[in-house]
Amino acid sequence: MMLLETERADGVNLGFGRRVRLTRTPDLGGPARVLIAVLCLGSLGPLGCATPPPPDDPEALESFRQTNDPFEPLNRVVFAVNIEADRYILKPVAYVYKETVPEPVQEGVGNFLQNLGSPVVFLNSVLQGDVDHAGETLLRFLINSSIGLAGTSDVAGEMGFVRRDEDFGQTLGVWGADAGPYIMLPFLGPSSTRDALGLVVDHFADPWTYLRYEKFNYARLGAEIVDARARNYELLNDLEKTSVDHYAAVRSLYRQDRRDAIRNGAEPDLPPLPDIPADEEELEDEEKEPARPPAQ
Amino acid sequence: MKRKNPPAHRRNRILRRPWAALLATAALLVTAAPPAVADGAEAFIRSTADRVFTSYAEEVTDEQRATAFRDILTATFELRTIARFTLGRYWRVASSDQRKEYRRLFEDFLVLAYANRFRDLGGVKLRVTSVVTISKRDQLVQSEVDPGSGRPPIRIGWRVRETRHGYRIVDVIVDGISMSVTQRDQFAAAIRSSGGKVDGLLAMLRDKTGPRQ
């Protein structure tokens, strides 16, 4: 709960996956989260918080617990606003960027931003006790910053030094912290209490935060947002078009993506799937409607 | 092999590393030997993925891709198991008519959601990186594809089950994100928001997928 009052969160996760670190975020998240705290802690339940299912329904309770989205009603409102902001501002900008800027330039911009993120990735790799990846990240930074023309070219990647993003939310996860309640941040996208705290820590751990040129950090922020949106352009559009509950789909993807990032892509923990007995299968086959005519 | 079975997810955790080690050793020992049982799932995935990626390369319009995708989907996926899993605890409360309609709509929905999702991957080649047994009936075939243009490789895990009709896919896990889990989660939310009524989800699916061709 402490987290809800934190000053500001610095990061964005557009749709799923590509976390973008922000520096100097406009302080939009703070008031909203104080509002959540007031609404929920002040037990004005229905206004801001999801009502837990009745205690006589253990399955529903278990699913409520697993989803871990006590602020769902408010989160959904924030999500709806984010979607509108995306539709009218970010998406058109990302589209123009994607369609007009030559691909090598886009690639260079992406590499440059990635390289700027290296110090934070390095620190978090160290904190996670992943010395190998810390070393790899350090080498990547040194190689790309020099031979790679200030980071615009991923020479190190071609040499086989693998890029992997690490942030403080992941570090906390490696240390055993649960993700905590799901939070939809205004303009910044899906997060959780743990990951939002991670964003704040990463912000202060990032050497570029202390750069004297304020404009640089604003430009970096803007570039990161547009770059991430453009890279996931089709994917995010498809997702919106093809989900029955866009909010819940994004939430599920975010949760799974973060777990995968914490595992560093190691084999996923897969749920048990139903085992359908053969006789039931046959019964279903008999019931099944007549086969549809072959596709043209 | 008889033993007390811990829950599947625990079992996975226990077996994960030893299996990986075992498979690695086995791979070293039998590289020259004819394909063993474990290769069945791998070969199945190789040919299925080839079909998918080739169809992405060959088909021109979204409609053509959808038709090709539906054929592959119904032939290689164990849709009845996936459908049941994605409806979760609501499967039990659904009537037989609801189940029937759900299974039909679910197939349409998968075609809508995924037929064109990976259209960029036309003609790519799949690299199988490992095959792991994850439960009594299931194996996980881990693979990678290279999307080109400097982007990092995409990890695709195929959960394969041995059924009466041969191997069938029961889940696809792209960069750690399970398709079945994602659908289950959003379907559960859709049902909850319609007051716990399966009909609410069916209406939404009908609405999304539109009239059937």
Side-chain angles (χ1 to χ4, degrees), chain A residues 4 27-39 74 78 184-186:
Chain A
L4 297 172
D27 193 5
L28 294 160
R33 263 162 292 144
V34 171
L35 187 67
I36 297 176
V38 169
L39 288 175
L74 194 59
V78 175
M184 180 58 64
L185 297 173

Side-chain angles (χ1 to χ4, degrees), chain B residues 83-162:
Chain B
R84 195 178 282 204
F85 171 77
T86 49
L87 203 53
R89 61 202 180 87
Y90 298 103
W91 177 266
R92 263 179 294 119
V93 300
S95 71
S96 134
D97 279 349
Q98 282 175 326
R99 289 178 180 182
K100 229 185 290 177
E101 191 187 5
Y102 170 71
R103 282 179 52 192
R104 193 170 59 76
L105 287 170
F106 180 63
E107 184 187 312
D108 289 353
F109 180 74
L110 287 181
V111 172
L112 170 85
Y114 296 119
N116 293 297
R117 178 77 60 90
F118 306 108
R119 55 186 171 268
D120 292 355
L121 297 181
V124 298
K125 278 276 163 262
L126 187 87
R127 248 190 336 274
V128 173
T129 52
S130 73
V131 182
V132 188
T133 300
I134 54 174
S135 74
K136 210 161 61 195
R137 295 180 67 190
D138 296 354
Q139 298 179 57
L140 185 65
V141 179
Q142 299 268 43
S143 65
E144 278 184 359
V145 298
D146 201 344
S149 68
R151 288 177 294 171
I154 300 172
R155 287 172 287 129
I156 309 179
W158 313 78
R159 185 165 176 176
V160 178
R161 176 164 291 192
E162 218 172 333

Side-chain angles (χ1 to χ4, degrees), chain A residues 59 234 241-245 252 256 260 265 269 271 274-275 280-282 284-285 289 292, chain B residues 13 80 84 92 103-104 107 117 119 137 155 159 161 164 175 178 182 185-186 208 212:
Chain A
E59 271 190 322
E234 300 292 343
K241 266 191 297 200
T242 62
S243 43
V244 287
D245 188 329
S252 176
Q256 293 187 63
D260 181 65
D269 251 337
D275 227 338
E280 231 177 285
E281 255 181 49
E282 272 158 30
E284 279 189 5
D285 285 342
E289 53 185 331
R292 111 182 60 78
Chain B
R13 195 166 297 156
R80 95 177 67 231
R84 195 178 282 204
R92 263 179 294 119
R103 282 179 52 192
R104 193 170 59 76
E107 184 187 312
R117 178 77 60 90
R119 55 186 171 268
R137 295 180 67 190
R155 287 172 287 129
R159 185 165 176 176
R161 176 164 291 192
R164 292 187 301 153
D175 279 339
S178 151
T182 308
D185 289 353
Q186 71 158 328
K208 271 281 164 196
R212 197 171 194 149

Side-chain angles (χ1 to χ4, degrees), chain A residues 16-18 53 57-61 63-64 66-67 72 76 103 107 111 154 163 231 234-235 238-261 263-285 287-289 292-296, chain B residues 8-9 12-13 16-17 67 70-71 74 78 80-82 84-85 89 91-92 96 99-100 103-104 107-109 112-113 116-120 130 132 134 136-138 140 142 149-150 152 155 159 161 163-165 170-171 173 175-190 192-193 201 204-205 208 212-213:
Chain A
F16 49 110
R18 307 298 163 244
D57 190 346
E59 271 190 322
L61 270 177
S63 128
F64 183 79
Q66 284 205 345
T67 309
E72 180 166 344
R76 279 187 185 267
E103 242 175 70
E107 222 173 280
N111 288 336
D154 187 9
R163 186 190 109 191
R231 258 186 295 127
E234 300 292 343
L235 197 59
D238 279 358
L239 184 69
E240 185 172 359
K241 266 191 297 200
T242 62
S243 43
V244 287
D245 188 329
H246 191 198
Y247 171 85
V250 168
R251 181 175 62 197
S252 176
L253 293 169
Y254 178 75
R255 293 290 205 192
Q256 293 187 63
D257 177 64
R258 292 300 286 170
R259 282 199 293 272
D260 181 65
R263 285 193 306 264
N264 290 330
E267 210 179 291
D269 251 337
L270 296 171
L273 290 179
D275 227 338
I276 303 175
D279 53 337
E280 231 177 285
E281 255 181 49
E282 272 158 30
L283 205 69
E284 279 189 5
D285 285 342
E287 279 180 358
K288 216 179 169 190
E289 53 185 331
R292 111 182 60 78
Q296 302 304 309
Chain B
H9 66 281
N12 296 347
R13 195 166 297 156
R16 182 180 302 153
R17 307 243 172 250
T67 307
R70 188 189 292 273
D71 289 345
T74 47
E78 180 72 351
R80 95 177 67 231
T81 301
I82 305 173
R84 195 178 282 204
F85 171 77
R89 61 202 180 87
W91 177 266
R92 263 179 294 119
S96 134
R99 289 178 180 182
K100 229 185 290 177
R103 282 179 52 192
R104 193 170 59 76
E107 184 187 312
D108 289 353
F109 180 74
L112 170 85
N116 293 297
R117 178 77 60 90
F118 306 108
R119 55 186 171 268
D120 292 355
S130 73
V132 188
I134 54 174
K136 210 161 61 195
R137 295 180 67 190
D138 296 354
L140 185 65
Q142 299 268 43
S149 68
R155 287 172 287 129
R159 185 165 176 176
R161 176 164 291 192
T163 73
R164 292 187 301 153
H165 321 284
V170 285
D171 195 6
I173 301 109
D175 279 339
I177 291 168
S178 151
M179 301 295 150
S180 298
V181 169
T182 308
Q183 301 309 350
R184 178 197 63 185
D185 289 353
Q186 71 158 328
F187 288 176
R192 255 200 321 277
S193 68
L201 172 66
M204 286 185 222
L205 287 174
K208 271 281 164 196
R212 197 171 194 149
Q213 306 292 311

Side-chain angles (χ1 to χ4, degrees), chain A:
Chain A
M1 281 307 119
M2 284 279 291
L3 240 177
L4 297 172
E5 280 86 21
T6 45
E7 285 294 302
R8 53 177 188 230
D10 301 74
V12 66
N13 192 309
L14 293 152
F16 49 110
R18 307 298 163 244
R19 167 160 305 270
V20 171
R21 224 163 311 88
L22 311 184
T23 52
R24 306 275 171 190
T25 314
D27 193 5
L28 294 160
R33 263 162 292 144
V34 171
L35 187 67
I36 297 176
V38 169
L39 288 175
C40 291
L41 299 179
S43 37
L44 295 169
L47 269 181
C49 307
T51 329
D56 60 346
D57 190 346
E59 271 190 322
L61 270 177
E62 173 60 16
S63 128
F64 183 79
R65 197 189 59 77
Q66 284 205 345
T67 309
N68 199 358
D69 190 0
F71 312 124
E72 180 166 344
L74 194 59
N75 278 342
R76 279 187 185 267
V77 172
V78 175
F79 182 69
V81 173
N82 285 354
I83 291 298
E84 291 307 302
D86 178 67
R87 177 170 303 148
Y88 292 109
I89 304 166
L90 185 52
K91 197 163 132 186
V93 172
Y95 183 78
V96 171
Y97 173 76
K98 189 173 82 80
E99 294 299 316
T100 59
V101 177
E103 242 175 70
V105 177
Q106 290 186 39
E107 222 173 280
V109 170
N111 288 336
F112 178 74
L113 296 169
Q114 198 65 45
N115 195 50
L116 285 181
S118 293
V120 169
V121 176
F122 171 79
L123 282 174
N124 280 299
S125 299
V126 171
L127 291 175
Q128 290 171 25
D130 190 344
V131 182
D132 287 351
H133 190 248
E136 210 162 339
T137 305
L138 183 64
L139 278 171
R140 281 181 55 83
F141 184 66
L142 295 174
I143 294 168
N144 284 348
S145 299
S146 51
I147 313 172
L149 308 171
T152 53
S153 165
D154 187 9
V155 184
E158 278 153 34
M159 292 163 78
F161 295 107
V162 182
R163 186 190 109 191
R164 204 175 66 208
D165 285 337
E166 299 294 342
D167 55 63
F168 197 68
Q170 290 182 45
T171 300
L172 290 173
V174 170
W175 290 350
D178 279 339
Y182 183 69
I183 300 177
M184 180 58 64
L185 297 173
F187 302 102
L188 306 177
S191 190
S192 68
T193 47
R194 180 195 64 201
D195 295 338
L197 172 67
L199 297 174
V200 176
V201 172
D202 284 335
H203 172 70
F204 288 109
D206 192 345
W208 311 119
T209 300
Y210 303 98
L211 213 63
R212 297 287 293 276
Y213 302 103
E214 292 238 326
K215 278 183 189 149
F216 173 78
N217 280 325
Y218 281 118
R220 178 188 175 198
L221 165 63
E224 280 181 331
I225 294 177
V226 174
D227 172 65
R229 184 63 176 92
R231 258 186 295 127
N232 296 300
Y233 194 82
E234 300 292 343
L235 197 59
L236 293 177
N237 292 359
D238 279 358
L239 184 69
E240 185 172 359
K241 266 191 297 200
T242 62
S243 43
V244 287
D245 188 329
H246 191 198
Y247 171 85
V250 168
R251 181 175 62 197
S252 176
L253 293 169
Y254 178 75
R255 293 290 205 192
Q256 293 187 63
D257 177 64
R258 292 300 286 170
R259 282 199 293 272
D260 181 65
I262 290 165
R263 285 193 306 264
N264 290 330
E267 210 179 291
D269 251 337
L270 296 171
L273 290 179
D275 227 338
I276 303 175
D279 53 337
E280 231 177 285
E281 255 181 49
E282 272 158 30
L283 205 69
E284 279 189 5
D285 285 342
E286 281 165 25
E287 279 180 358
K288 216 179 169 190
E289 53 185 331
R292 111 182 60 78
Q296 302 304 309

